[in-house]
């Protein structure tokens, strides 16, 4: 649909009669659409933002449409693919390299400001070779991270999934042994990797966390920990991937809410203490602070709309939502109440009215495609 027709449809839905009101709103929304919102990757074929906005607003009662529009104009946080790509490119020089410099400084009692001395130290290069990178989802951008390192990360140090098979793990360890031997850090030979021929630094990489529950949580009913972090620690130990005498595990997130950061740090500390593992280090390039979430105090009209049954589809209240501790997803997974959109898919930590799938009775402005499909 052409922009002019979509704008006319929007004016009709909002009952804008004054041409000045139409022009003022249309110009702002079209600018937002051109700059970011048209690039949402889950829109249907041929559909763009202004058309989607008009159809979305038309689902609301007339009295609620202005509040819904205000949500879009004043509160929405849209992180584009270009912005995620920028964070990926910053990850290696601004986080990974800096952490390696810190380790070399601590081990050798070199002042941390002597960057040239640290970067030329033999241990700095050894730790580069002994680093392993595992993606936690398809949003980890592992290929882009490898390219952004300018050759510092090779193919056998990085994998797009954290569930490594035995064959792949063995291939990675064999490649590590060869790289260490080539750099004269260890001698080749032997039938298997010794403690000195294993990885020391494990980097777990993902694009976004809204609540942290997917990574680590404690199931009170079953009285045990669950989540990706638990599985990863167990796998790297069972597969002899790490040197048990010297290792660090870091979670690198491009974007995360403060709620997720606090949750992951709290529960991962309890998990690692219970199991005797070394603690998880959490690194976030772009934290989203708590004030960015919608609240009854600051955003009363929006929260009131989001909680209404008529703007919700019960099919969203599945077993996966209940893991977050709520019976429904009206305010998002774990009641995060985010107004957040990621260009490749809207996180279910945002309020349901933003991400409801297109097939539901009430669909979102930026419909989400779930990882879990009902059969």
């Amino acid at each position: 649909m052409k922009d002019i027709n979509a704008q006319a449809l929007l004016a009709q839905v909002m009952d804008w009669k004054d041409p000045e009101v139409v022009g003022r709103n249309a110009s702002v929304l079209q600018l937002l659409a051109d700059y970011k919102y048209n690039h949402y990757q889950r829109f249907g074929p041929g559909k763009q933002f202004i058309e989607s906005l008009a159809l979305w607003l038309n689902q609301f009662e007339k009295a609620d449409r202005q509040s819904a529009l205000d949500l879009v104009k004043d509160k929405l946080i849209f992180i584009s693919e270009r912005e995620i790509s920028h964070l990926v490119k910053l990850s290696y020089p601004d986080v990974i390299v800096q952490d390696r410099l810190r380790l070399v400084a601590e081990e050798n009692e070199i002042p941390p400001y002597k960057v040239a001395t640290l970067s030329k130290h033999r241990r700095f290069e050894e730790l580069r070779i002994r680093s392993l990178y595992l993606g936690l989802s398809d949003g980890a951008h592992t290929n882009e991270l490898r390219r952004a390192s300018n050759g510092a990360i090779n193919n056998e140090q990085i994998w797009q999934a954290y569930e490594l098979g035995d064959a792949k793990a063995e291939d990675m360890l064999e490649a590590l042994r060869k790289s260490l031997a080539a750099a004269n850090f260890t001698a080749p030979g032997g039938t298997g990797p010794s403690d000195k021929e294993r990885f020391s630094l494990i980097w777990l990489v993902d694009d976004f966390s809204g609540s942290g529950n997917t990574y680590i949580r404690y199931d009170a009913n079953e009285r045990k920990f669950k989540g990706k972090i638990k599985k990863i620690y167990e796998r790297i130990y069972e597969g002899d991937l790490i040197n048990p005498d010297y290792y660090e595990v870091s979670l690198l997130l491009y974007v995360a809410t403060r709620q997720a950061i606090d949750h992951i740090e709290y529960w991962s500390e309890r998990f690692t203490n219970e199991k005797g593992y070394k603690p998880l280090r959490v690194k976030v390039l772009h934290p989203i602070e708590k004030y960015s979430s919608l609240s009854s105090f600051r955003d009363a009209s929006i929260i009131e709309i989001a909680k209404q049954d008529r703007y919700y589809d019960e099919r969203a209240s599945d077993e996966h939502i209940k893991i977050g501790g709520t019976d429904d997803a009206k305010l998002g997974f774990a009641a995060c109440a985010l107004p957040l959109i990621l260009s490749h898919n809207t996180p279910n930590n945002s309020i349901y009215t933003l991400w409801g799938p297109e097939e539901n009775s009430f669909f979102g402005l930026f419909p989400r495609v779930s990882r879990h499909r009902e059969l």
Side-chain angles (χ1 to χ4, degrees):
M1 182 180 291
K2 292 186 178 296
D3 292 339
I4 189 67
N5 294 333
Q7 290 173 14
L9 176 60
L10 178 61
Q12 181 180 345
V13 169
M14 293 301 298
D15 198 25
W16 290 331
K17 305 296 185 184
D18 188 342
E20 183 178 342
V21 174
V22 175
R24 182 171 62 250
N25 282 278
S27 61
V28 171
L29 292 168
Q30 191 62 59
L31 177 63
L32 292 170
D34 292 340
Y35 182 62
K36 280 192 175 182
Y37 300 163
N38 279 343
H39 302 290
Y40 185 62
Q41 297 171 18
R42 300 301 178 185
F43 281 147
K47 185 182 291 186
Q48 292 190 312
F49 171 69
I50 299 295
E51 178 190 0
S52 181
L53 176 63
L55 296 174
W56 178 69
L57 287 169
N58 195 50
Q59 300 174 105
F60 292 94
E61 297 292 328
K62 287 187 176 181
D64 293 332
R65 290 177 188 174
Q66 187 59 52
S67 294
L69 183 61
D70 290 342
L71 164 65
V72 176
K73 291 174 63 178
D74 302 331
K75 296 290 182 178
L76 207 63
I77 301 171
F78 189 104
I79 300 180
S80 68
E81 189 67 19
R82 182 173 61 181
E83 289 166 330
I84 288 291
S85 180
H86 179 65
L87 294 175
V88 175
K89 292 173 183 176
L90 291 177
S91 297
Y92 190 78
D94 286 9
V95 178
I96 296 171
V97 169
Q98 300 306 314
D99 204 54
R100 203 156 72 239
L101 289 170
R102 172 189 62 81
L103 286 170
V104 176
E106 290 175 355
E107 289 178 3
N108 297 278
E109 298 183 347
I110 300 172
Y113 60 83
K114 293 189 174 182
V115 177
T117 301
L118 294 170
S119 60
K120 292 177 182 178
H121 198 283
R122 184 169 171 80
R123 179 63 168 162
F124 183 75
E125 173 64 10
E126 182 182 3
L127 288 174
R128 180 192 69 79
I129 297 173
R130 291 187 183 275
S131 296
L132 175 66
Y133 305 86
L134 302 175
L136 300 187
S137 75
D138 55 5
H141 296 261
T142 50
N143 285 337
E144 191 172 355
L145 177 63
R146 179 180 58 80
R147 291 192 295 268
S149 74
N150 291 320
I153 302 174
N154 66 48
N155 284 326
E156 296 305 322
Q157 288 179 276
I158 196 165
W159 189 242
Q160 68 270 22
Y162 65 94
E163 296 177 310
L164 282 170
D166 291 339
K168 181 60 181 178
E170 290 174 6
D171 289 345
M172 290 181 132
L173 286 170
E174 179 61 25
L176 172 64
R177 294 180 68 234
K178 291 180 179 178
S179 295
L180 289 169
N184 294 320
F185 288 115
T186 187
T191 58
S194 68
D195 286 351
K196 293 183 179 180
E197 295 167 334
R198 298 177 186 171
F199 292 102
S200 293
L201 305 182
I202 312 297
W203 287 93
L204 312 174
V205 186
D206 212 349
D207 60 342
F208 172 75
S209 179
S211 69
N213 279 270
T214 302
Y215 298 96
I216 186 74
R217 63 185 182 276
Y218 185 75
D219 190 316
N221 293 326
E222 299 183 26
R223 302 179 68 180
K224 66 179 182 180
F225 287 95
K226 293 184 177 181
K228 295 179 180 180
I229 299 300
K230 172 184 178 293
K231 294 179 181 178
I232 290 162
Y233 268 94
E234 291 172 348
R235 179 65 185 88
I236 59 181
Y237 269 90
E238 292 169 1
D240 291 332
L241 282 169
I242 63 171
N243 179 346
D245 297 325
Y246 184 93
Y247 71 94
E248 286 194 0
V249 181
S250 300
L251 173 62
L252 174 61
L253 299 169
Y254 305 133
V255 182
T257 66
R258 182 58 56 186
Q259 178 178 340
I261 297 169
D262 292 345
H263 175 94
I264 294 169
E265 290 180 338
Y266 179 86
W267 287 111
S268 65
E269 180 181 2
R270 277 144 186 80
F271 166 69
T272 53
N273 285 343
E274 178 183 298
K275 300 297 183 181
Y277 299 145
K278 289 190 177 180
L280 177 75
R281 301 170 60 85
V282 182
K283 308 284 186 178
V284 180
L285 277 93
H286 181 59
I288 297 177
E289 301 299 340
K290 292 182 180 179
Y291 58 74
S292 297
S293 296
L294 301 171
S295 73
S296 298
F297 175 72
R298 294 188 305 270
D299 314 292
S301 62
I302 297 172
I303 293 294
E304 183 180 347
I305 288 173
K307 288 182 175 179
Q308 294 187 35
D309 290 339
R310 57 184 165 180
Y311 305 139
Y312 186 67
D313 190 313
E314 285 297 331
R315 285 179 288 180
S317 301
D318 59 18
E319 60 185 278
H320 308 291
I321 290 297
K322 289 179 172 58
I323 291 174
T326 61
D327 291 329
D328 61 53
K330 291 175 181 175
L331 295 183
F333 183 85
C336 290
L338 292 174
L340 177 68
I341 311 297
L342 302 178
S343 62
H344 70 280
N345 207 15
T346 305
N348 63 2
N349 307 92
S350 292
I351 58 174
Y352 171 84
T353 51
L354 288 175
W355 60 261
E358 285 185 306
E359 64 269 19
N360 284 10
S361 58
F362 186 97
F363 56 86
L365 175 58
F366 296 94
R368 169 181 170 79
V369 174
S370 174
R371 292 187 297 114
H372 310 286
R373 306 298 294 177
E374 295 293 336
L375 299 178

